[in-house]
């Protein structure tokens, strides 16, 4: 099975808020792309970094993330797709941040290791890298 990864051109920011923080619908509607996670300890927002003004109330922020998008709608019965991407990065000491949606997966690496990650993934049989489109509308 060949895994096709799109390299998105955008920089992303990860923002952490107090668990009880409420992101307004207006704030979220201003973002071209985002994902929100709420746990018992925190609320996290991932969005394009240049749109991060929506995250002014964040208690922590981590900028400079770049994204590989799995270019396929993923069936929940598939096994090992993420491992095929993450394992070689782990073996070469490249930290990752992963977001999964109903349709696909996103693997993010810091900008300063993007070229290293591209080189590692290009050497993997069964992985094809392609330029992706901006998520910014």
């Amino acid at each position: 099975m060949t895994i096709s990864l799109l390299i998105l051109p955008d920089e992303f920011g990860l923002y952490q808020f107090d668990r009880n923080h409420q992101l307004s619908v207006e704030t979220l509607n201003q973002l071209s792309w985002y994902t929100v996670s709420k746990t018992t300890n925190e609320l996290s927002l991932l969005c394009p970094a240049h749109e991060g003004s929506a995250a002014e109330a964040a208690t922590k922020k981590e900028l400079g993330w770049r994204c590989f998008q799995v270019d396929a709608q993923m069936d929940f019965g598939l096994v090992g797709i993420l491992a095929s991407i993450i394992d070689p990065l782990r073996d070469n000491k490249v930290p990752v941040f992963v977001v999964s949606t109903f349709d696909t997966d996103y693997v993010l690496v810091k900008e300063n290791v993007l070229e290293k990650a591209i080189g590692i993934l290009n050497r993997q049989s069964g992985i094809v890298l392609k330029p992706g489109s901006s998520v910014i509308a």
Side-chain angles (χ1 to χ4, degrees):
M1 172 184 207
T2 299
I3 301 167
S4 180
L5 294 178
L6 301 175
I7 306 168
L8 303 185
D10 311 295
E11 177 190 345
F12 291 84
L14 179 61
Y15 305 91
Q16 182 184 54
F17 301 87
D18 178 77
R19 181 197 188 287
N20 296 317
H21 182 78
Q22 293 186 1
L23 292 168
S24 71
V25 171
E26 293 81 20
T27 296
L28 294 175
N29 284 338
Q30 293 173 9
L31 300 173
S32 55
W33 186 103
Y34 68 89
T35 186
V36 176
S37 296
K38 184 173 186 177
T39 69
T40 57
N41 297 319
E42 66 172 310
L43 178 77
S44 292
L45 169 69
L46 177 70
C47 66
H50 86 282
E51 296 178 349
S53 62
E56 290 175 359
T59 56
K60 291 182 185 176
K61 65 180 176 181
E62 184 76 30
L63 302 176
W65 290 98
R66 292 293 303 278
C67 186
F68 297 99
Q69 176 186 344
V70 177
D71 187 23
Q73 285 191 323
M74 308 284 286
D75 180 274
F76 288 113
L78 295 175
V79 177
I81 302 296
L82 272 177
S84 298
I85 301 164
I86 294 170
D87 287 354
L89 296 174
R90 177 206 60 216
D91 293 345
N92 287 276
K93 311 248 185 290
V94 175
V96 300
F97 176 75
V98 177
V99 174
S100 295
T101 67
F102 199 94
D103 281 344
T104 196
D105 295 316
Y106 299 86
V107 176
L108 294 98
V109 300
K110 294 296 283 203
E111 177 83 46
N112 65 337
V113 294
L114 177 64
E115 291 304 319
K116 180 179 179 180
I118 289 171
I120 293 164
L121 294 171
N122 268 329
R123 291 190 298 273
Q124 304 307 304
S125 62
I127 295 181
V128 175
L129 300 177
K130 301 185 291 189
S133 300
S134 175
V135 299
I136 299 168

